[in-house]
Amino acid sequence: MSNDLLEITGHQAAAGPAKRQKVVHHRDPHRPRAARIFAPFRTVGLVSPTSVPFTSLPLGKTTFQITTSVGRCLHTYDLRRGLNLVFISRPQTPALITATVAWKEQVLAAWGGKTTQDEIGVWAFERGKKCGELEIPHHLHEPIEEIIAFGSWIIGRCSTRIEVWKSAKYEHYTTITPTASRGTARGSSLSGGICHIPTYLNKVLVGKHDGSVDIWNVSTGKLVYTILPPNLDSGAVTALQPTPALSLVAIARADGSISIQDVCTDKTVLKLRHRDSNGASVSSISFRTDGHGAGEDGREPGIMATAASEDSNVTLWDLNDGGRVVGILHGAHNPPSSHRKGNSVSGGISKIEFLPGQDVMITSGLDNALKSWIFDANSLSAVPRILHSRSGHAAPVTKLGFMSTNSEDADSTGKWLLSAGRDQSLWGWSIRRDGQSSELSQGPVRKKAKKLGLLSKTLEVDSSVKLDELKAPEITCFASSLNRDGGMGATPGAGRIWTNMASKKGTNDTSESGSTGWESIVTGHRGDKYARTWFWGRKRAGRWVFETGDGTEVSTVAVSSCGTFALVASIGGSISMFNLQSGILRQRFPAPLTPAQAKKLKLTDPDTQKPSPLMPHFGPGEGRHRRAVTGLMVDQLNRTVISCGLDGKIKFWDFHNGMLQEEIDWSSMTAITAAAYYKSSDLIALGCDDLSIRIVDTETKKLVRELWGCTGQISDFCFSNDGRWIVAASMDSVIRIWDLPTAHLVNAFRVESPCTALAFSDTGEYLATAHADSVGVNLWNNRTLFTQVPTRMIRDDEIIEATLPTTSGEDGEGLLSAAFENIDTAVEGEDKLLTENDSSAVDTLSNDLLTLSLVPKARWQTLLHLSEIKARNKPKEPPKAPEKAPFFLPSLANGEDAGQLKALTNGDSAPKDSLTTSNANSRIFRPSLTSTSRSQFTALLHACTKSADQDPGPFLTHLSSLAPAAADSEVRSLANFVEMTAFVQSLTARLRQKRDYELVQTWMSVFLRCHSGEIIGNGEQVEALREAMGEWRREQGREGRRLGELVGYCSGVLGWLRSAR
């Protein structure tokens, strides 16, 4: 043991046992700061979004773990649990992961090298935790594209070199540099594919660009042999895979050829050709090892599966009798982007693998999906069926929205997040449990298409390319209300999906759906004139489609609060209302003229019906939008429909008769591009093309706020859950938060890529954002729920750079960490919180106003109910003493301590003198020290008693900064009547200052609960306390009456304004 350690140990032994201290993690100065209001939490929706192939780890004979890469993190899924997520690797790698491999109980991940600034490394993870790191040579400057492990070796393949490590200690062994392929650049001699053949000691096979395969001895670093291509036009090697038979390896080349090569004799045993209409070459090969699937009866071994990264099909081969294709699994994953219009949806297969000894095949694709397939033993088809699937959006998310509930106390409040993406899918994400997330089914698309005769012969031959074109188009808008949602018990109808009731004759029987509930989601689609309905509880497509009134594309949709009516607007300006239970059209806005009304209007003199500028009058059939409708809303009582459009007009329609009531015309000023509605306060936020957001009160029909600051096109915006903030995202990659009462920009942070959609949860806990270059959904925590956050107005130069959330939650902030964060470090780099030296910032604006404190609501409410919280959290059983003494016993500093320990060991009592000496060193047995020292609370309280004019501000500011438990302890520790009287007088003085009203009430409530017995006692000092309490009572009565008058006055004025016409 070192001398320094001995010195520290002896000092601790002399000073007494060491106390457990809180570990404070210091912020990295180079790391981007977090936003003041929102802290990154985590990312949902990522399964396999990268081109890095998955790797499988067998745990016994029937249990397997599948690990995928999601960028800088690894996800591990348990196959036995239905591909349930079990591990997320931590810490994140410094750069993107480029290759993975499972080895024993670990997963090796190579990362970095994609850019010249990236570092390069290989980390080892076990059960999601980093357990080791490979030694990286200094001269390595290119990414590791593939990595394998066998025996005592770990091999990494780059584009021009092969790195070799020893697996025992992760030390670098050697670097192998093959010769450049003929006709290729020096920087890319290795094309792809590296494998090890069992029983070939220390040998690896590496594919090259000229179609040859080198065999290297990694122990000696020498080239053993080169397998030449069959011809010069074969192209580069694209895949290598050893067969279950010894000495045989499958080699795939760029020309689509697949050869089974005998490595021992260098002879081609079997030659096949992968025929693909798109010219894709095989990039992944796997062999079935359970001994079934081949032959006429399917009971012979010899099945091989191939797939291409530029194709969505899996081809199954029977290698017996010369080899033949026995089946094609069409559409295993989404087709690649090059085969789709717009090139916005990722697709293709990155890897296929048969599990050892199992009739199960695993596939992963660039469509952010991981799937398992099973081969039925008694099935006549050689094509497997889907067993499990985990996936997410295959293209960036374009629309987000938290699902509201049909009850305020429902457990699912704020749990579900709805998202729509460019991949024509609609997903429901569970914030609490990732395994509950699922895509809303659009029904058996292929079966429905065949039944309707939409599948031509071309589609049947290669249906995977056109399969997604049969799905509903990309969703551009959606609306929901769960008040009439029937959950899993909702009646979907007689198998009908998306039926247009306008084209059907007769009536529809809705008695059954009336008792079980009906659809709760309505969506609008790009380039489509139909809006579609969805069952949320059943997670499937609904029964109806609603056609726009003028046959043009749907621009926006809305659902009434009761969940009975759906409103559909178009780019042509029409607005129609449908009944969700029956699917029947109920109203149009404006309502069409009846023949009698049209005849009467024709006979009316237009000069006598000219409307007044002060009182505009709109007749039947008048007031339609002339351009696209961009916003559509219904009030909570189903009395008014509000719409806005690119024509710059905001229209208020009567819900029942469809007539236009009032109109706000901004056509000469701006065009309205989007709208958001906050029902509790009847406010609507309107996004305009002049990069502003305007707030209108729907009761008074007046503009109340204008919010400026965006320098790019506004992509999305929403209200906070309490209606106090407007959160907006723009194409300048900045997310801004405005405070509505003051119209001030209180927070803004810049992210890595533009935010395309955002949503605020109903509980106020989360902000969800989607970004242009990601298929995941990012969640941010609202820090104001648990800690004090300054919300002063900020300038444009105070916009900070913020890091996006990650799937592992690393570098993020959870709810608990935000709750227990130190207030002094909560806003590092920002303005300091209000302290006793900065009381001017909260001075009242006027003596006639009442000012509340800036202390978070949760803190003073916790103080008020602290006894109930302690009773609820009280342990059921007392703590048990440890069976054995801990290993960190203090060392014996001198002989006296040794003698005392010996006496205690022999059962004798310790000498009295030694105990006295020991107690002298203890803070517990030094009453003189504790009696003479006073806490800051007591010192500040005594300072208030020195003069009647003493300001109690410093004392009360210190009290407000204490935690609830500490404040309760200080109030209980008031030792005498002098301190109690001073405490009451301080609260009375604060009440006269008309400041911190709710805090003063809370502190007085705690004081009365703790010291009510002393107040009713007898004595001269009690009389002074009673006089102070009487003064408090009189001041409290005056302030209470004044507060009641202020509230009554404000309520009366607000009621008069709302009722004025």
Side-chain angles (χ1 to χ4, degrees), residues 142 155-164 174-182 184-194 204-210 212-218 221-226:
E142 54 187 83
I155 314 297
R157 181 193 65 80
C158 305
S159 59
T160 61
R161 56 198 291 172
I162 302 172
E163 301 293 343
V164 183
T174 186
T175 298
I176 299 174
T177 306
T179 58
S181 303
R182 183 177 53 187
T184 61
R186 175 69 182 174
S188 58
S189 60
L190 304 180
S191 61
I194 182 171
V204 293
L205 281 71
V206 185
K208 302 179 70 175
H209 270 286
D210 58 0
S212 63
V213 177
D214 288 349
I215 304 177
W216 290 86
N217 188 320
V218 296
K222 294 182 179 180
L223 177 64
V224 178
Y225 189 78
T226 299

Side-chain angles (χ1 to χ4, degrees), residues 7 93 187 243 459 572 584 613 719 755 808 881 883 901 909 933 938 942:
E7 182 179 355
T93 57
T243 68
L459 287 176
I584 299 176
F719 283 93
C755 176
S808 62
E883 298 180 358
L901 179 61
S909 59
S933 62
T938 306
H942 279 256

Side-chain angles (χ1 to χ4, degrees), residues 715-732:
S715 55
D716 199 5
F717 57 91
C718 65
F719 283 93
S720 62
N721 65 309
D722 57 359
R724 184 178 179 87
W725 297 334
I726 286 287
V727 185
S730 55
M731 298 310 293
D732 56 359

Side-chain angles (χ1 to χ4, degrees), residues 635-636 639 677-684 696-699 1058:
D635 69 345
Q636 293 194 93
R639 295 182 303 182
Y677 183 38
Y678 187 68
K679 296 182 179 180
S680 299
S681 59
D682 287 331
L683 295 178
I684 55 175
V696 172
D697 188 339
T698 60
E699 288 291 337
R1058 288 180 176 273

Side-chain angles (χ1 to χ4, degrees), residues 321-629:
D321 301 329
R324 61 187 179 90
V325 176
V326 294
I328 298 179
L329 178 59
H330 290 286
H333 290 269
N334 280 350
S337 300
S338 58
H339 300 160
R340 303 172 60 94
K341 297 179 180 180
N343 296 335
S344 61
V345 182
S346 300
I349 299 176
S350 58
K351 184 180 179 180
I352 58 172
E353 180 180 338
F354 283 100
L355 297 181
Q358 304 294 321
D359 55 352
V360 176
M361 180 178 66
I362 307 295
T363 64
S364 67
L366 299 178
D367 58 349
N368 193 24
L370 177 67
K371 300 179 181 180
S372 63
W373 310 81
I374 187 170
F375 293 82
D376 293 327
N378 299 324
S379 176
L380 298 178
S381 175
V383 179
R385 60 178 175 86
I386 189 71
L387 181 62
H388 303 115
S389 176
R390 288 296 296 267
S391 58
H393 282 289
V397 178
T398 57
K399 192 68 177 177
L400 289 173
F402 278 90
M403 294 294 295
S404 59
T405 58
N406 53 4
S407 173
E408 294 183 357
D409 298 328
D411 181 64
S412 59
T413 302
K415 173 184 177 181
W416 291 100
L417 175 66
L418 205 62
S419 68
R422 296 179 183 174
D423 57 349
Q424 304 168 244
S425 65
L426 183 65
W427 276 82
W429 303 102
S430 174
I431 306 302
R432 302 179 186 176
R433 188 172 182 179
D434 186 68
Q436 294 180 351
S437 303
S438 64
E439 179 184 0
L440 273 67
S441 171
Q442 299 189 23
V445 177
R446 186 188 300 271
K447 182 179 179 181
K448 179 181 66 175
K450 287 183 178 180
K451 184 177 180 180
L452 297 177
L454 299 179
L455 283 178
S456 63
K457 293 182 179 180
T458 304
L459 287 176
E460 291 177 352
V461 173
D462 194 4
S463 58
S464 63
V465 177
K466 301 292 184 179
L467 182 61
D468 286 346
E469 298 181 3
L470 302 175
K471 298 171 64 176
E474 175 189 341
I475 296 174
T476 57
C477 56
F478 61 76
S480 64
S481 176
L482 298 182
N483 283 325
R484 301 295 297 184
D485 184 77
M488 289 297 296
T491 302
R496 294 176 300 179
I497 292 180
W498 294 334
T499 304
N500 187 5
M501 285 300 298
S503 61
K504 293 188 64 177
K505 296 181 179 180
T507 59
N508 181 34
D509 185 11
T510 59
S511 57
E512 189 173 1
S513 63
S515 60
T516 61
W518 49 80
E519 296 91 330
S520 53
I521 302 175
V522 179
T523 57
H525 303 261
R526 187 177 304 279
D528 195 358
K529 64 179 181 180
Y530 295 105
R532 292 167 170 80
T533 62
W534 306 75
F535 286 100
W536 168 248
R538 301 181 67 90
K539 301 294 191 298
R540 55 156 291 180
R543 299 168 293 172
W544 319 121
V545 294
F546 302 140
E547 185 177 0
T548 56
D550 54 4
T552 59
E553 178 184 344
V554 176
S555 60
T556 184
V557 294
V559 177
S560 61
S561 298
C562 62
T564 304
F565 300 99
L567 288 90
V568 181
S570 70
I571 62 175
S574 68
I575 303 174
S576 305
M577 183 174 67
F578 299 84
N579 187 291
L580 280 171
Q581 181 182 6
S582 61
I584 299 176
L585 175 67
R586 291 303 184 190
Q587 188 60 270
R588 295 191 187 276
F589 302 91
L593 293 175
T594 63
Q597 290 175 334
K599 184 178 180 180
K600 182 179 179 180
L601 184 63
K602 186 177 181 180
L603 298 176
T604 304
D605 186 2
D607 295 334
T608 60
Q609 297 295 328
K610 183 177 295 186
S612 170
L614 299 178
M615 295 294 294
H617 172 73
F618 303 97
E622 297 179 353
R624 173 173 170 165
H625 284 279
R626 299 303 178 186
R627 297 183 64 186
V629 179

Side-chain angles (χ1 to χ4, degrees), residues 808-884:
S808 62
E810 189 179 353
D811 296 335
E813 184 174 311
L815 298 181
L816 292 179
S817 61
F820 293 102
E821 185 182 30
N822 189 351
I823 298 178
D824 296 333
T825 61
V827 288
E828 182 181 353
E830 305 290 340
D831 291 342
K832 293 183 179 180
L833 296 175
L834 298 173
T835 60
E836 59 185 8
N837 298 324
D838 190 18
S839 59
S840 61
V842 292
D843 286 341
T844 56
L845 300 177
S846 171
N847 293 330
D848 296 331
L849 298 179
L850 180 68
T851 303
L852 302 180
S853 70
L854 297 180
V855 176
K857 180 180 178 180
R859 180 178 296 180
W860 61 264
Q861 284 190 341
T862 301
L863 175 61
L864 197 60
H865 305 284
L866 190 61
S867 57
E868 291 85 349
I869 296 175
K870 289 183 177 180
R872 183 185 60 192
N873 297 336
K874 184 178 180 181
K876 297 181 180 179
E877 298 180 359
K880 297 181 180 180
E883 298 180 358
K884 297 180 180 180

